[in-house]
Amino acid sequence: QIQVVESGGGLVQPGGSLTLSCTAELRIFSLYHMGWYRQAPGKQRELVARISSGGSIDYGASVKGRFTVSRDNDKKVVYLQMNNLKPEDTAVYYCNADYTWEHYWGQGTQVTVSS
């Protein structure tokens, strides 16, 4: 069974930073498009950032200029560097691995931005 595991969430003050990590035990990690999504209470899950197998990157409109996604194929890890965090960034953050018909999700990690 493929495991996708997020880590690095927590409580941070507005304006602060956090880095999330996602490890995925995929046989050929480099083939997978990797994404970060988030879901706040009462809201739909939304795209935060994704990085394709070829390195193309997309960001959700609300995080552009503040968040940075990257991947290390040798370590099978994808990162989400989050800067200048705002209370509206509070959500459970999920990692997704996607390749053709294969779609895997992690259990999520909570990020709370509050003073």
Side-chain angles (χ1 to χ4, degrees), residues 29-61:
F29 180 86
S30 61
L31 289 178
Y32 289 76
H33 309 304
M34 302 299 296
W36 286 98
Y37 294 75
R38 68 186 182 187
Q39 188 166 18
K43 295 188 176 181
Q44 288 191 329
R45 192 171 296 189
E46 64 174 357
L47 171 71
V48 176
R50 60 187 168 206
I51 181 167
S52 75
S53 59
S56 298
I57 292 173
D58 292 308
Y59 293 101

mmCIF file of all heavy atoms in Angstrom, residues 29-61:
data_model
loop_
_atom_site.group_PDB
_atom_site.id
_atom_site.type_symbol
_atom_site.label_atom_id
_atom_site.label_comp_id
_atom_site.label_asym_id
_atom_site.label_seq_id
_atom_site.Cartn_x
_atom_site.Cartn_y
_atom_site.Cartn_z
ATOM 1 N N PHE A 29 9.336 7.815 -7.834
ATOM 2 C CA PHE A 29 8.760 9.074 -7.351
ATOM 3 C C PHE A 29 8.788 10.145 -8.433
ATOM 4 O O PHE A 29 7.858 10.934 -8.556
ATOM 5 C CB PHE A 29 9.553 9.523 -6.128
ATOM 6 C CG PHE A 29 9.091 10.816 -5.515
ATOM 7 C CD1 PHE A 29 8.076 10.819 -4.577
ATOM 8 C CD2 PHE A 29 9.684 12.022 -5.869
ATOM 9 C CE1 PHE A 29 7.645 11.998 -3.995
ATOM 10 C CE2 PHE A 29 9.270 13.201 -5.308
ATOM 11 C CZ PHE A 29 8.234 13.194 -4.358
ATOM 12 N N SER A 30 9.838 10.157 -9.221
ATOM 13 C CA SER A 30 10.025 11.225 -10.197
ATOM 14 C C SER A 30 8.948 11.252 -11.279
ATOM 15 O O SER A 30 8.773 12.261 -11.957
ATOM 16 C CB SER A 30 11.407 11.116 -10.843
ATOM 17 O OG SER A 30 11.534 9.880 -11.520
ATOM 18 N N LEU A 31 8.224 10.168 -11.445
ATOM 19 C CA LEU A 31 7.179 10.120 -12.467
ATOM 20 C C LEU A 31 5.904 10.843 -12.041
ATOM 21 O O LEU A 31 5.077 11.193 -12.889
ATOM 22 C CB LEU A 31 6.822 8.672 -12.803
ATOM 23 C CG LEU A 31 7.852 7.871 -13.579
ATOM 24 C CD1 LEU A 31 7.345 6.442 -13.777
ATOM 25 C CD2 LEU A 31 8.167 8.510 -14.912
ATOM 26 N N TYR A 32 5.759 11.055 -10.740
ATOM 27 C CA TYR A 32 4.500 11.544 -10.193
ATOM 28 C C TYR A 32 4.455 13.070 -10.150
ATOM 29 O O TYR A 32 5.429 13.729 -9.790
ATOM 30 C CB TYR A 32 4.270 10.977 -8.795
ATOM 31 C CG TYR A 32 3.938 9.509 -8.806
ATOM 32 C CD1 TYR A 32 4.936 8.571 -9.018
ATOM 33 C CD2 TYR A 32 2.633 9.077 -8.617
ATOM 34 C CE1 TYR A 32 4.634 7.218 -9.055
ATOM 35 C CE2 TYR A 32 2.331 7.724 -8.639
ATOM 36 C CZ TYR A 32 3.335 6.806 -8.867
ATOM 37 O OH TYR A 32 3.030 5.477 -8.901
ATOM 38 N N HIS A 33 3.278 13.575 -10.499
ATOM 39 C CA HIS A 33 2.976 14.982 -10.242
ATOM 40 C C HIS A 33 2.588 15.075 -8.765
ATOM 41 O O HIS A 33 1.767 14.289 -8.281
ATOM 42 C CB HIS A 33 1.820 15.464 -11.110
ATOM 43 C CG HIS A 33 1.987 15.160 -12.563
ATOM 44 N ND1 HIS A 33 3.086 15.558 -13.292
ATOM 45 C CD2 HIS A 33 1.194 14.463 -13.423
ATOM 46 C CE1 HIS A 33 2.950 15.143 -14.546
ATOM 47 N NE2 HIS A 33 1.816 14.476 -14.647
ATOM 48 N N MET A 34 3.162 16.036 -8.075
ATOM 49 C CA MET A 34 2.919 16.167 -6.642
ATOM 50 C C MET A 34 2.216 17.485 -6.356
ATOM 51 O O MET A 34 2.565 18.533 -6.936
ATOM 52 C CB MET A 34 4.236 16.113 -5.872
ATOM 53 C CG MET A 34 5.044 14.848 -6.091
ATOM 54 S SD MET A 34 4.187 13.355 -5.567
ATOM 55 C CE MET A 34 4.039 13.641 -3.804
ATOM 56 N N GLY A 35 1.241 17.422 -5.461
ATOM 57 C CA GLY A 35 0.495 18.634 -5.176
ATOM 58 C C GLY A 35 0.207 18.799 -3.705
ATOM 59 O O GLY A 35 0.180 17.834 -2.941
ATOM 60 N N TRP A 36 0.019 20.056 -3.320
ATOM 61 C CA TRP A 36 -0.448 20.404 -1.990
ATOM 62 C C TRP A 36 -1.838 21.030 -2.130
ATOM 63 O O TRP A 36 -2.039 21.923 -2.965
ATOM 64 C CB TRP A 36 0.490 21.403 -1.325
ATOM 65 C CG TRP A 36 1.783 20.822 -0.865
ATOM 66 C CD1 TRP A 36 2.989 20.855 -1.515
ATOM 67 C CD2 TRP A 36 2.013 20.123 0.355
ATOM 68 N NE1 TRP A 36 3.943 20.220 -0.780
ATOM 69 C CE2 TRP A 36 3.366 19.760 0.379
ATOM 70 C CE3 TRP A 36 1.202 19.766 1.439
ATOM 71 C CZ2 TRP A 36 3.933 19.049 1.449
ATOM 72 C CZ3 TRP A 36 1.758 19.065 2.484
ATOM 73 C CH2 TRP A 36 3.112 18.715 2.483
ATOM 74 N N TYR A 37 -2.752 20.546 -1.316
ATOM 75 C CA TYR A 37 -4.106 21.070 -1.271
ATOM 76 C C TYR A 37 -4.433 21.396 0.180
ATOM 77 O O TYR A 37 -3.758 20.911 1.097
ATOM 78 C CB TYR A 37 -5.099 20.042 -1.825
ATOM 79 C CG TYR A 37 -4.920 19.753 -3.296
ATOM 80 C CD1 TYR A 37 -3.871 18.960 -3.741
ATOM 81 C CD2 TYR A 37 -5.784 20.295 -4.242
ATOM 82 C CE1 TYR A 37 -3.680 18.708 -5.096
ATOM 83 C CE2 TYR A 37 -5.610 20.044 -5.603
ATOM 84 C CZ TYR A 37 -4.567 19.253 -6.014
ATOM 85 O OH TYR A 37 -4.387 19.006 -7.358
ATOM 86 N N ARG A 38 -5.461 22.177 0.390
ATOM 87 C CA ARG A 38 -5.863 22.476 1.759
ATOM 88 C C ARG A 38 -7.389 22.549 1.849
ATOM 89 O O ARG A 38 -8.067 22.823 0.859
ATOM 90 C CB ARG A 38 -5.238 23.777 2.246
ATOM 91 C CG ARG A 38 -5.755 25.036 1.559
ATOM 92 C CD ARG A 38 -4.949 26.244 2.014
ATOM 93 N NE ARG A 38 -5.438 27.492 1.413
ATOM 94 C CZ ARG A 38 -4.839 28.663 1.540
ATOM 95 N NH1 ARG A 38 -3.696 28.761 2.237
ATOM 96 N NH2 ARG A 38 -5.356 29.739 0.969
ATOM 97 N N GLN A 39 -7.855 22.293 3.051
ATOM 98 C CA GLN A 39 -9.290 22.355 3.293
ATOM 99 C C GLN A 39 -9.528 22.982 4.651
ATOM 100 O O GLN A 39 -9.085 22.452 5.679
ATOM 101 C CB GLN A 39 -9.926 20.966 3.228
ATOM 102 C CG GLN A 39 -11.435 20.994 3.286
ATOM 103 C CD GLN A 39 -12.052 19.680 2.881
ATOM 104 O OE1 GLN A 39 -11.404 18.632 2.865
ATOM 105 N NE2 GLN A 39 -13.329 19.705 2.522
ATOM 106 N N ALA A 40 -10.212 24.107 4.625
ATOM 107 C CA ALA A 40 -10.599 24.791 5.854
ATOM 108 C C ALA A 40 -11.994 24.320 6.256
ATOM 109 O O ALA A 40 -12.763 23.850 5.409
ATOM 110 C CB ALA A 40 -10.574 26.300 5.636
ATOM 111 N N PRO A 41 -12.335 24.452 7.527
ATOM 112 C CA PRO A 41 -13.664 24.015 7.981
ATOM 113 C C PRO A 41 -14.778 24.691 7.182
ATOM 114 O O PRO A 41 -14.777 25.911 6.993
ATOM 115 C CB PRO A 41 -13.687 24.466 9.440
ATOM 116 C CG PRO A 41 -12.260 24.491 9.856
ATOM 117 C CD PRO A 41 -11.507 24.938 8.646
ATOM 118 N N GLY A 42 -15.697 23.874 6.691
ATOM 119 C CA GLY A 42 -16.831 24.403 5.952
ATOM 120 C C GLY A 42 -16.541 24.804 4.526
ATOM 121 O O GLY A 42 -17.421 25.345 3.839
ATOM 122 N N LYS A 43 -15.318 24.557 4.061
ATOM 123 C CA LYS A 43 -14.950 24.938 2.700
ATOM 124 C C LYS A 43 -14.510 23.721 1.902
ATOM 125 O O LYS A 43 -14.162 22.674 2.463
ATOM 126 C CB LYS A 43 -13.835 25.980 2.718
ATOM 127 C CG LYS A 43 -14.247 27.304 3.333
ATOM 128 C CD LYS A 43 -13.170 28.339 3.150
ATOM 129 C CE LYS A 43 -13.618 29.693 3.683
ATOM 130 N NZ LYS A 43 -12.574 30.737 3.490
ATOM 131 N N GLN A 44 -14.493 23.888 0.592
ATOM 132 C CA GLN A 44 -14.041 22.803 -0.273
ATOM 133 C C GLN A 44 -12.515 22.743 -0.298
ATOM 134 O O GLN A 44 -11.829 23.740 -0.043
ATOM 135 C CB GLN A 44 -14.566 23.033 -1.701
ATOM 136 C CG GLN A 44 -16.062 22.803 -1.846
ATOM 137 C CD GLN A 44 -16.492 22.781 -3.296
ATOM 138 O OE1 GLN A 44 -15.887 23.452 -4.138
ATOM 139 N NE2 GLN A 44 -17.505 21.999 -3.607
ATOM 140 N N ARG A 45 -12.011 21.579 -0.604
ATOM 141 C CA ARG A 45 -10.570 21.421 -0.757
ATOM 142 C C ARG A 45 -10.118 22.232 -1.967
ATOM 143 O O ARG A 45 -10.764 22.199 -3.011
ATOM 144 C CB ARG A 45 -10.212 19.950 -0.934
ATOM 145 C CG ARG A 45 -8.744 19.643 -0.822
ATOM 146 C CD ARG A 45 -8.478 18.152 -0.780
ATOM 147 N NE ARG A 45 -9.039 17.513 0.408
ATOM 148 C CZ ARG A 45 -8.790 16.259 0.760
ATOM 149 N NH1 ARG A 45 -7.982 15.511 0.020
ATOM 150 N NH2 ARG A 45 -9.345 15.747 1.844
ATOM 151 N N GLU A 46 -9.004 22.931 -1.810
ATOM 152 C CA GLU A 46 -8.523 23.783 -2.892
ATOM 153 C C GLU A 46 -7.039 23.547 -3.136
ATOM 154 O O GLU A 46 -6.293 23.157 -2.235
ATOM 155 C CB GLU A 46 -8.749 25.272 -2.565
ATOM 156 C CG GLU A 46 -7.973 25.787 -1.378
ATOM 157 C CD GLU A 46 -8.106 27.281 -1.173
ATOM 158 O OE1 GLU A 46 -8.758 27.961 -1.986
ATOM 159 O OE2 GLU A 46 -7.540 27.793 -0.188
ATOM 160 N N LEU A 47 -6.637 23.825 -4.375
ATOM 161 C CA LEU A 47 -5.234 23.703 -4.741
ATOM 162 C C LEU A 47 -4.418 24.794 -4.060
ATOM 163 O O LEU A 47 -4.783 25.964 -4.077
ATOM 164 C CB LEU A 47 -5.071 23.824 -6.253
ATOM 165 C CG LEU A 47 -3.631 23.927 -6.751
ATOM 166 C CD1 LEU A 47 -2.904 22.604 -6.602
ATOM 167 C CD2 LEU A 47 -3.589 24.402 -8.198
ATOM 168 N N VAL A 48 -3.291 24.385 -3.478
ATOM 169 C CA VAL A 48 -2.316 25.339 -2.949
ATOM 170 C C VAL A 48 -1.162 25.483 -3.930
ATOM 171 O O VAL A 48 -0.839 26.575 -4.379
ATOM 172 C CB VAL A 48 -1.793 24.883 -1.576
ATOM 173 C CG1 VAL A 48 -0.710 25.845 -1.076
ATOM 174 C CG2 VAL A 48 -2.936 24.783 -0.569
ATOM 175 N N ALA A 49 -0.571 24.344 -4.276
ATOM 176 C CA ALA A 49 0.565 24.358 -5.205
ATOM 177 C C ALA A 49 0.760 22.950 -5.749
ATOM 178 O O ALA A 49 0.439 21.975 -5.080
ATOM 179 C CB ALA A 49 1.842 24.821 -4.503
ATOM 180 N N ARG A 50 1.281 22.872 -6.946
ATOM 181 C CA ARG A 50 1.624 21.566 -7.486
ATOM 182 C C ARG A 50 2.862 21.697 -8.346
ATOM 183 O O ARG A 50 3.123 22.739 -8.937
ATOM 184 C CB ARG A 50 0.470 20.953 -8.276
ATOM 185 C CG ARG A 50 0.000 21.756 -9.454
ATOM 186 C CD ARG A 50 -1.253 21.140 -10.069
ATOM 187 N NE ARG A 50 -1.871 22.050 -11.022
ATOM 188 C CZ ARG A 50 -3.157 22.027 -11.331
ATOM 189 N NH1 ARG A 50 -3.956 21.141 -10.759
ATOM 190 N NH2 ARG A 50 -3.650 22.879 -12.201
ATOM 191 N N ILE A 51 3.601 20.613 -8.380
ATOM 192 C CA ILE A 51 4.822 20.560 -9.165
ATOM 193 C C ILE A 51 4.789 19.273 -9.966
ATOM 194 O O ILE A 51 4.629 18.187 -9.415
ATOM 195 C CB ILE A 51 6.071 20.681 -8.265
ATOM 196 C CG1 ILE A 51 7.344 20.650 -9.097
ATOM 197 C CG2 ILE A 51 6.085 19.653 -7.141
ATOM 198 C CD1 ILE A 51 8.591 21.085 -8.319
ATOM 199 N N SER A 52 4.922 19.422 -11.250
ATOM 200 C CA SER A 52 4.797 18.271 -12.131
ATOM 201 C C SER A 52 6.067 17.428 -12.098
ATOM 202 O O SER A 52 7.096 17.824 -11.546
ATOM 203 C CB SER A 52 4.505 18.724 -13.551
ATOM 204 O OG SER A 52 5.683 19.257 -14.150
ATOM 205 N N SER A 53 5.991 16.281 -12.740
ATOM 206 C CA SER A 53 7.158 15.417 -12.842
ATOM 207 C C SER A 53 8.292 16.114 -13.595
ATOM 208 O O SER A 53 9.464 15.855 -13.344
ATOM 209 C CB SER A 53 6.793 14.113 -13.541
ATOM 210 O OG SER A 53 6.282 14.378 -14.831
ATOM 211 N N GLY A 54 7.937 17.026 -14.478
ATOM 212 C CA GLY A 54 8.941 17.761 -15.233
ATOM 213 C C GLY A 54 9.385 19.049 -14.584
ATOM 214 O O GLY A 54 10.239 19.765 -15.127
ATOM 215 N N GLY A 55 8.798 19.377 -13.434
ATOM 216 C CA GLY A 55 9.214 20.567 -12.704
ATOM 217 C C GLY A 55 8.347 21.801 -12.920
ATOM 218 O O GLY A 55 8.635 22.856 -12.347
ATOM 219 N N SER A 56 7.294 21.689 -13.727
ATOM 220 C CA SER A 56 6.383 22.842 -13.903
ATOM 221 C C SER A 56 5.609 23.069 -12.609
ATOM 222 O O SER A 56 5.219 22.116 -11.938
ATOM 223 C CB SER A 56 5.419 22.570 -15.053
ATOM 224 O OG SER A 56 6.121 22.406 -16.260
ATOM 225 N N ILE A 57 5.386 24.320 -12.295
ATOM 226 C CA ILE A 57 4.774 24.683 -11.015
ATOM 227 C C ILE A 57 3.551 25.572 -11.224
ATOM 228 O O ILE A 57 3.565 26.480 -12.061
ATOM 229 C CB ILE A 57 5.801 25.408 -10.126
ATOM 230 C CG1 ILE A 57 6.902 24.434 -9.692
ATOM 231 C CG2 ILE A 57 5.130 26.022 -8.906
ATOM 232 C CD1 ILE A 57 8.049 25.076 -8.943
ATOM 233 N N ASP A 58 2.521 25.291 -10.457
ATOM 234 C CA ASP A 58 1.324 26.134 -10.407
ATOM 235 C C ASP A 58 1.013 26.440 -8.952
ATOM 236 O O ASP A 58 1.213 25.587 -8.072
ATOM 237 C CB ASP A 58 0.116 25.419 -11.018
ATOM 238 C CG ASP A 58 0.267 25.228 -12.505
ATOM 239 O OD1 ASP A 58 0.539 26.215 -13.202
ATOM 240 O OD2 ASP A 58 0.128 24.074 -12.956
ATOM 241 N N TYR A 59 0.473 27.636 -8.714
ATOM 242 C CA TYR A 59 0.056 28.023 -7.375
ATOM 243 C C TYR A 59 -1.384 28.498 -7.388
ATOM 244 O O TYR A 59 -1.866 29.065 -8.375
ATOM 245 C CB TYR A 59 0.921 29.173 -6.843
ATOM 246 C CG TYR A 59 2.365 28.808 -6.581
ATOM 247 C CD1 TYR A 59 3.369 29.145 -7.482
ATOM 248 C CD2 TYR A 59 2.720 28.114 -5.427
ATOM 249 C CE1 TYR A 59 4.687 28.811 -7.247
ATOM 250 C CE2 TYR A 59 4.038 27.766 -5.182
ATOM 251 C CZ TYR A 59 5.011 28.114 -6.098
ATOM 252 O OH TYR A 59 6.313 27.769 -5.854
ATOM 253 N N GLY A 60 -2.054 28.280 -6.264
ATOM 254 C CA GLY A 60 -3.345 28.900 -6.082
ATOM 255 C C GLY A 60 -3.180 30.402 -5.976
ATOM 256 O O GLY A 60 -2.163 30.889 -5.481
ATOM 257 N N ALA A 61 -4.203 31.126 -6.412
ATOM 258 C CA ALA A 61 -4.095 32.581 -6.481
ATOM 259 C C ALA A 61 -3.815 33.204 -5.121
ATOM 260 O O ALA A 61 -3.083 34.202 -5.022
ATOM 261 C CB ALA A 61 -5.379 33.161 -7.070
#
